[in-house]
Amino acid sequence: MAGNARRPEARIGHDARRAATRTLDAALREGRLDLAEYERRLVLVQAARVRKDLTPAVADLPEGSRRTGPGLRISAADRERALVRLAGALTDGRLPAPDYADAEELLNRAVTYADVDAVVGTLDAKASHAERDQAIARIEAAVAGGLLDPAEQHDRVAAVRRAATDAQLAALVADLPAGAGPARSPRASHADREAVVAQLHEAVEAGVLDLPEFDERVRAVYAARLRDELTRLVADLPEPAPASPSPSIGVPARKRSLRAIRVTPLIGTLATIPAVGGAVVLGSLGFTVLAILAAIAGAAVLAVLAVRLVRTATAADEESAPEAEYRFPPGVEPFPGRAATWVDVDPAEWTPK
């Protein structure tokens, strides 16, 4: 019996008409129907005798048909949300200003969800001002890193400003690095080119390349745009040797220590003169205790400087000790008929005679 009640030809009673009327009332409150449309449909509901007579009155209303889809009528709240999205798209650049008035008029006339989707459904795929700025920043960073030349920069920035969708923007920067992530761009940077030129220099020094080949490859390096092009230019060359740590350059330890040994007595003399002079003056004035304290202070200064002098000389001997002893080949006598005598001489102080 329940299945027969749902057939289009099944007759309906007061309950079915009241349910349809409630659906029309809700649609009127929500703005899905205007008053004229509501009254027209209400007449259809009251005159309906079988179930198929109710279909034209409630088929496109969500509550009446229990359906969802693009063919259902929108509410006033749905229209307002669509208008807010449209205004936001105008603000962030996803919708050009000349197109806004036409889009707003279409929304105000929209009846179904399909009508709304035709106006605002593609807004999320549009390129905004912020997305264009990000793309331009990536292009400028690529120019700074040598991935693009200024002519390419000009063309790409112009294309970015004309881009209408996110897909178009993505295509314009697809070969550029997106930031500090691990992924590298396929394009060659200044650093990539300099590394290849350094490898070519090493190949010339090792005799692997002659100068005409070197010149030809260097020109090709600076004309290359992709890292694969650089790789092919050095594919037949040996791998570059790892860089060895450069030796530290400075004053030899013994020379520094000799300077300290010479300067220390001078500092001691200058430091003790005021102490001795002060003690003599205080003693002559009758301040015996103060004179004794001044003499003690001078003696303490001399003791400290003497300890420092000894430590400096010891450190000089330790730092200047040879790391490896030179040995003459077997059977070679360095000084025939004489015993070898080693003399420690500072090279800076040695003068040939």
Side-chain angles (χ1 to χ4, degrees), residues 161-320:
R161 299 195 186 282
R162 292 193 305 266
T165 65
D166 292 337
Q168 293 172 344
L169 283 182
L172 290 170
V173 296
D175 59 341
L176 304 180
R184 292 188 61 192
S185 168
R187 299 185 69 89
S189 66
H190 288 321
D192 295 329
R193 295 187 186 92
E194 294 304 325
V196 172
V197 170
Q199 189 174 353
L200 293 176
H201 276 290
E202 293 181 2
V204 171
E205 294 176 357
V208 178
L209 288 179
D210 55 25
L211 288 179
E213 289 178 303
F214 172 78
D215 292 339
E216 181 181 354
R217 294 201 187 194
V218 168
R219 285 195 297 270
V221 165
Y222 287 111
R225 288 292 172 263
L226 301 177
R227 287 190 288 116
D228 288 343
E229 299 175 24
L230 295 181
T231 302
R232 289 193 292 269
L233 289 172
V234 294
D236 58 341
L237 301 181
E239 292 292 330
S244 58
S246 58
S248 59
I249 301 176
V251 182
R254 182 172 178 81
K255 191 169 184 179
R256 292 195 305 267
S257 301
L258 288 174
R259 291 178 180 173
I261 293 173
R262 293 168 183 159
V263 172
T264 302
L266 177 60
I267 296 175
T269 302
L270 295 177
T272 53
I273 288 176
V276 173
V280 173
V281 172
L282 291 173
S284 63
L285 295 176
F287 299 102
T288 307
V289 176
L290 295 178
I292 294 174
L293 292 177
I296 294 173
V301 171
L302 286 175
V304 170
L305 292 175
V307 171
R308 180 181 176 186
L309 183 62
V310 172
R311 290 181 178 177
T312 303
T314 304
D317 292 338
E318 292 176 353
E319 294 179 1
S320 62

Side-chain angles (χ1 to χ4, degrees), residues 4-329:
N4 293 335
R6 304 301 300 176
R7 289 186 297 111
E9 297 82 6
R11 294 184 68 87
I12 60 173
H14 295 305
D15 292 341
R17 294 188 187 94
R18 281 194 291 267
T21 300
R22 286 194 298 269
T23 300
L24 293 177
D25 292 341
L28 178 63
R29 290 194 306 269
E30 295 170 356
R32 301 180 192 274
L33 299 174
D34 56 21
L35 185 57
E37 183 67 16
Y38 168 79
E39 291 176 348
R40 186 187 69 82
R41 295 192 184 206
L42 187 59
V43 171
L44 293 177
V45 169
Q46 298 300 328
R49 291 295 177 264
V50 294
R51 183 159 298 278
K52 67 179 181 180
D53 296 336
L54 291 177
T55 300
V58 297
D60 58 350
L61 300 178
E63 293 185 1
S65 61
R66 304 296 179 188
R67 293 187 304 110
T68 59
L72 299 181
R73 296 178 72 95
I74 63 171
S75 65
D78 295 328
R79 194 187 313 275
E80 290 300 324
R81 283 192 291 268
L83 289 171
V84 170
R85 289 184 60 188
L86 195 67
L90 175 64
T91 302
D92 62 19
R94 287 179 290 138
L95 181 67
D99 299 340
Y100 177 78
D102 294 339
E104 185 180 28
E105 184 178 355
L106 290 174
L107 282 181
N108 287 326
R109 294 203 310 258
V111 175
T112 65
Y113 289 105
D115 298 335
V116 173
D117 190 64
V119 179
V120 299
T122 60
L123 290 180
D124 291 339
K126 299 288 187 180
S128 66
H129 290 320
E131 291 166 338
R132 291 189 185 91
D133 291 342
Q134 292 172 0
I136 292 175
R138 287 178 62 178
I139 292 173
E140 291 175 348
V143 173
L147 303 177
L148 293 177
D149 56 32
E152 291 176 304
Q153 177 191 17
H154 179 271
D155 294 341
R156 292 209 188 194
V157 169
V160 164
R161 299 195 186 282
R162 292 193 305 266
T165 65
D166 292 337
Q168 293 172 344
L169 283 182
L172 290 170
V173 296
D175 59 341
L176 304 180
R184 292 188 61 192
S185 168
R187 299 185 69 89
S189 66
H190 288 321
D192 295 329
R193 295 187 186 92
E194 294 304 325
V196 172
V197 170
Q199 189 174 353
L200 293 176
H201 276 290
E202 293 181 2
V204 171
E205 294 176 357
V208 178
L209 288 179
D210 55 25
L211 288 179
E213 289 178 303
F214 172 78
D215 292 339
E216 181 181 354
R217 294 201 187 194
V218 168
R219 285 195 297 270
V221 165
Y222 287 111
R225 288 292 172 263
L226 301 177
R227 287 190 288 116
D228 288 343
E229 299 175 24
L230 295 181
T231 302
R232 289 193 292 269
L233 289 172
V234 294
D236 58 341
L237 301 181
E239 292 292 330
S244 58
S246 58
S248 59
I249 301 176
V251 182
R254 182 172 178 81
K255 191 169 184 179
R256 292 195 305 267
S257 301
L258 288 174
R259 291 178 180 173
I261 293 173
R262 293 168 183 159
V263 172
T264 302
L266 177 60
I267 296 175
T269 302
L270 295 177
T272 53
I273 288 176
V276 173
V280 173
V281 172
L282 291 173
S284 63
L285 295 176
F287 299 102
T288 307
V289 176
L290 295 178
I292 294 174
L293 292 177
I296 294 173
V301 171
L302 286 175
V304 170
L305 292 175
V307 171
R308 180 181 176 186
L309 183 62
V310 172
R311 290 181 178 177
T312 303
T314 304
D317 292 338
E318 292 176 353
E319 294 179 1
S320 62
E323 297 181 357
E325 180 182 358
Y326 178 79
R327 298 182 180 277
F328 290 92

